Amino acid sequence: MLLRTFGWSLGITAAGLALAGILWGAKGAAIVAILSVLEISLSFDNAVINAGILRKLNAFWQKMFLTVGVLIAVFGMRLVFPIIIVAVTAKLSPWEAVRVAVDDHDRYESLVTAAHPAIAAFGGMFLLMIFLDFIFEEREITWLGWLEKPLARLGKLDMLSVVVALVALLIAGTTVATAVPLHGGHGTIDKAETVLLAGVGGLLTYLIVGGISGFFEDRLEEDEDEDDDEDEATEDGGAEEGAEQGGAVRARSGATTGQVVGLAGKAAFFMFLYLEVIDASFSFDGVVGAFAISNDIFEIALGLGIGAMYIRSLTVFLVRKGTLDDYVYLEHGAHYAIGALAVILLITIKYDVSEVITGLVGVVLIAASYWSSVVRNRRLGEESSAAGDKDDKAEVTSGV
């Protein structure tokens, strides 16, 4: 199971480190290895969130996540996207941006760093909306009930997540976005307008992509409900025509009797896009933070790309093992980590926050939610065992 899931990641790691050693020597290989660890530590909570979404998709779209999704993550977000950001913000042609990235590492680092406020605002707002929609949703299982239950009641107010996110964006635009230090510490600049525009862009992206995927998912659930109703009608002696219609609904929804099949078609496509935008939002801090280790675009892309492979393999492992079903608080911990990362991204518009702190926050929250899940499972097991003992004693007493 482990080898089948992580085999590609291990193989690409070996090939990537060997290539780094050939191109840049032992020092280059060490830098790539460090960048890989950085990406894994910063994005561990991303794997848990991805697993919660990926388990809704069918086998085809899960495979797409591991193939096309990896290409987008490695080459798109870690290599191409920073160049596009440099070209747009510095008003350079794409070819000039590529030339700067390849030949002038110091200037490239400076331009990416200068674009950080916009990147952080966009990614921070997108991630903040994910957290707010989770925390304001009523659910049967709560981790921190004293906090989650009151917030779920507040969440019954329409558009509360959007209102809270916009308030957070206004606070960021009027505090951390003002007097942003220039790269190198020579003076400051007001980035309020940039942060507000980028933040609204992140919010709109979440509402559009998440809204469309949610719409098709709801449509699919409605089809499945119709399927269930028609199956009941058939069991009660309904006409054969009803059974044929039920079969047609099953074909449309991708569901078969007695089997839960993941999302397919348009619903899966937009859910896949949603996954990729989430991954992009998580990658922002890693790409910018990587410049603390190297300013070579190819070293950064290779190191972060290897780390992204492990995150994807871990996502598939969590889905196949049913980990989120066994450890029910993991999703809660991951969403709290997302909320923390969103706040950290907004803070980094003006202040430097160590990648160690960013990574540790996510790891600690995930670890705490995992341990809470273990404690819950033990308690339920003990209660089930005690109930079984009582039933046995009752049978003996009654002489059965």
Side-chain angles (χ1 to χ4, degrees):
M1 175 68 175
L2 282 173
L3 184 60
R4 183 162 62 94
T5 305
F6 289 92
W8 275 102
S9 298
L10 293 171
I12 289 177
T13 300
L17 292 178
L19 179 62
I22 293 172
L23 294 176
W24 306 299
K27 181 180 178 181
I31 289 174
V32 168
I34 293 171
L35 288 169
S36 302
V37 174
L38 171 69
E39 176 68 12
I40 294 170
S41 64
L42 289 176
S43 301
F44 187 81
D45 45 352
N46 189 12
V48 179
I49 297 298
N50 286 350
I53 299 172
L54 193 65
R55 62 179 176 173
K56 299 179 182 179
L57 305 180
N58 65 10
F60 171 78
W61 284 100
Q62 290 184 6
K63 188 173 293 185
M64 287 287 286
F65 177 75
L66 279 178
T67 52
V68 176
V70 165
L71 293 177
I72 295 174
V74 175
F75 295 102
M77 293 311 305
R78 274 76 179 180
L79 185 64
V80 178
F81 181 74
I83 293 177
I84 294 175
I85 289 294
V86 166
V88 172
T89 57
K91 298 179 180 180
L92 302 175
S93 68
W95 301 115
E96 178 64 14
V98 171
R99 188 198 66 76
V100 170
V102 174
D103 297 333
D104 194 345
H105 295 167
D106 290 337
R107 187 184 176 200
Y108 175 72
E109 177 185 355
S110 177
L111 292 174
V112 173
T113 303
H116 176 66
I119 296 173
F122 182 95
M125 290 303 295
F126 188 91
L127 294 177
L128 184 60
M129 282 299 298
I130 295 175
F131 168 71
L132 292 174
D133 273 354
F134 178 86
I135 202 68
F136 286 141
E137 181 182 355
E138 191 170 1
R139 58 191 71 254
E140 293 182 6
I141 298 175
T142 59
W143 180 30
L144 305 178
W146 56 271
L147 175 64
E148 295 174 17
K149 290 179 180 178
L151 290 177
R153 288 193 290 270
L154 286 175
K156 294 178 181 179
L157 297 173
D158 289 339
M159 303 300 290
L160 181 61
S161 298
V162 176
V163 172
V164 173
L166 286 174
V167 169
L169 179 59
L170 286 174
I171 293 173
T174 55
T175 55
V176 293
T178 60
V180 176
L182 291 171
H183 184 61
H186 305 296
T188 60
I189 187 172
D190 191 338
K191 288 283 186 176
E193 181 180 354
T194 299
V195 166
L196 290 173
L197 288 174
V200 170
L203 178 62
L204 289 175
T205 301
Y206 174 84
L207 293 176
I208 293 171
V209 179
I212 293 175
S213 62
F215 169 76
F216 284 109
E217 187 177 358
D218 291 341
R219 284 283 300 274
L220 186 60
E221 290 177 357
E222 290 175 5
D223 285 347
E224 290 175 349
D225 290 339
E226 292 177 10
D227 178 27
D228 292 339
D229 292 340
E230 291 176 3
D231 283 344
E232 289 177 5
T234 303
E235 291 174 1
D236 292 337
E240 291 183 3
E241 181 181 354
E244 292 175 359
Q245 291 175 349
V249 173
R250 280 193 297 274
R252 288 196 305 270
S253 66
T256 57
T257 304
Q259 182 182 5
V260 178
V261 179
L263 296 179
K266 293 179 181 178
F269 173 72
F270 283 103
M271 193 68 76
F272 175 78
L273 289 182
Y274 182 57
L275 265 174
E276 292 305 316
V277 178
I278 289 176
D279 180 75
S281 300
F282 271 98
S283 70
F284 291 150
D285 60 328
V287 171
V288 176
F291 286 103
I293 300 169
S294 171
N295 60 6
D296 187 308
I297 183 175
F298 297 110
E299 286 182 349
I300 291 174
L302 183 57
L304 298 185
I306 291 173
M309 279 294 301
Y310 279 97
I311 295 302
R312 271 161 168 67
S313 295
L314 180 59
T315 298
V316 174
F317 178 79
L318 293 175
V319 172
R320 291 175 177 171
K321 290 287 289 184
T323 305
L324 300 185
D325 294 324
D326 295 335
Y327 303 96
V328 295
Y329 297 140
L330 273 179
E331 281 192 274
H332 295 74
H335 279 89
Y336 281 113
I338 280 182
L341 177 58
V343 173
I344 290 173
L345 277 173
L346 295 178
I347 292 174
T348 58
I349 291 171
K350 184 173 183 178
Y351 304 102
D352 290 331
V353 178
S354 171
E355 290 75 25
V356 175
I357 295 175
T358 305
L360 281 179
V361 168
V363 171
V364 168
L365 287 168
I366 293 291
S369 61
Y370 173 80
W371 178 248
S372 296
S373 300
V374 171
V375 172
R376 174 184 181 273
N377 292 344
R378 287 177 181 174
R379 187 184 71 251
L380 292 178
E382 292 171 356
E383 291 174 356
S384 177
S385 178
D389 291 340
K390 288 181 180 179
D391 291 340
D392 292 340
K393 291 179 181 179
E395 289 178 1
V396 171
T397 302
S398 62
V400 177

